[in-house]
Amino acid sequence: MLLRGKTVIVSGVGDGLGREVAQAAYDQGANVVLGARTEAKLAKAAAEFDAARVAFAPTDITSESDCLRLVDLAVERFGALDGLVNVAAMDQVFGGVSDADFADWRAVYEVNVVGTLQLSKAAIPHLARETGTTGIVHILSQSMWVPATEVMQAAYAASKGALLSATYGMAKELGPRRIRVNAVVPSWMWGPMVQGYVAWTAASQKIAEEQIVASLTDRMALPEMASDGDVANAAVYMVSPYAGGVTGQSLAVNAGDYMR
């Protein structure tokens, strides 16, 4: 098991990727500490794990006190902190720059950049080591490299690009404290959010869902898109000791949709 005896915080635990990351870390032996704004979703996710290896707290990552409380919970409950996977994000703002409401952009940046870094900052003192390494992983988006044509989310893409720049800086800054900082970069990934998009688009266009899926996967090297679980597994690898020499890197999990 990649994370036996380790403790990992996962933010943004709901019905999709955050839940999958928590499950993947748990399956690899970790104690998991779950954060999200909605307590009911946290309780539902936590109920599926052994109570001895899970803890959770409602967490708005734009709140400094919430971030500190989540980190303190991890340390108090399990005695140490070994990893953080930042999944929490705001992705409900659509459109480009020409039609932008920059109040909405500021809200996106407040969550995706400032909030993510605020939770990371709270974790840093507990992740620092004199021997061995610990890990911070940011979940980003391929849209920061290749603008999506199906759905325009310029604010979201720009915020993830800013967080990639922060990943590089953090890797250099925190390396002497033996904290590795990396990013996992998904494209379209099969899970509740994309399933909902496919169903809605198919109904709107009055065509089969299979046609919508094909329009996305035809450009991919593999014959099907990566799943939420595939992205979660990559994040778990990046936060684990198996990635001990890896820092300042971005790993695309996209079925070969875009190759760099």
Side-chain angles (χ1 to χ4, degrees):
M1 290 187 177
L2 299 182
L3 294 171
R4 184 185 295 277
K6 306 293 186 181
T7 297
V8 175
I9 292 174
V10 184
S11 73
V13 175
D15 299 323
L17 181 58
R19 172 66 181 77
E20 292 288 343
V21 172
Q23 182 69 61
Y26 178 87
D27 288 346
Q28 290 296 328
N31 306 311
V32 290
V33 181
L34 317 179
R37 289 179 300 170
T38 306
E39 186 168 8
K41 290 183 177 180
L42 290 169
K44 179 182 176 182
E48 299 179 19
F49 302 132
D50 179 348
R53 289 175 49 204
V54 66
F56 67 89
T59 306
D60 179 347
I61 61 173
T62 67
S63 164
E64 182 180 10
S65 61
D66 279 12
C67 292
L68 291 168
R69 182 177 62 203
L70 185 65
V71 171
D72 287 345
L73 172 64
V75 175
E76 290 167 6
R77 177 72 184 276
F78 299 113
L81 179 62
D82 304 286
L84 166 64
V85 182
N86 286 304
V87 182
M90 176 183 285
D91 62 357
Q92 295 85 20
V93 174
F94 299 94
V97 173
S98 60
D99 60 350
D101 180 336
F102 286 112
D104 291 339
W105 278 60
R106 291 186 182 94
V108 171
Y109 269 71
E110 186 65 24
V111 175
N112 296 358
V113 182
V114 178
T116 296
L117 299 181
Q118 186 163 246
L119 181 55
S120 299
K121 179 183 177 182
I124 286 168
H126 303 283
L127 291 171
R129 296 289 190 274
E130 293 186 1
T131 60
T133 65
T134 57
I136 296 173
V137 175
H138 302 316
I139 302 297
L140 303 185
S141 168
Q142 182 178 288
S143 63
M144 67 186 180
W145 293 327
V146 183
T149 56
E150 296 85 2
V151 180
M152 186 179 292
Q153 293 178 293
Y156 178 73
S159 71
K160 292 299 188 176
L163 194 54
L164 179 61
S165 292
T167 300
Y168 299 146
M170 291 172 70
K172 192 72 172 178
E173 173 192 356
L174 301 178
R177 302 172 77 173
R178 295 184 177 271
I179 302 171
R180 298 175 295 100
V181 186
N182 292 293
V184 171
V185 187
S187 174
W188 293 91
M189 53 183 175
W190 193 247
M193 289 186 64
V194 171
Q195 288 170 326
Y197 166 81
V198 167
W200 177 83
T201 305
S204 299
Q205 297 182 12
K206 295 181 172 55
I207 59 177
E209 291 186 13
E210 290 76 11
Q211 288 182 254
I212 303 299
V213 172
S215 71
L216 301 174
T217 58
D218 282 351
R219 66 191 184 220
M220 297 176 180
L222 295 175
E224 60 185 18
M225 69 180 72
S227 68
D228 285 2
D230 294 328
V231 176
N233 287 337
V236 165
Y237 161 71
M238 281 295 212
V239 83
S240 80
Y242 268 53
V246 182
T247 195
Q249 305 302 314
S250 54
L251 175 60
V253 184
N254 61 9
D257 184 11
Y258 173 64
M259 303 182 191
R260 303 179 75 242

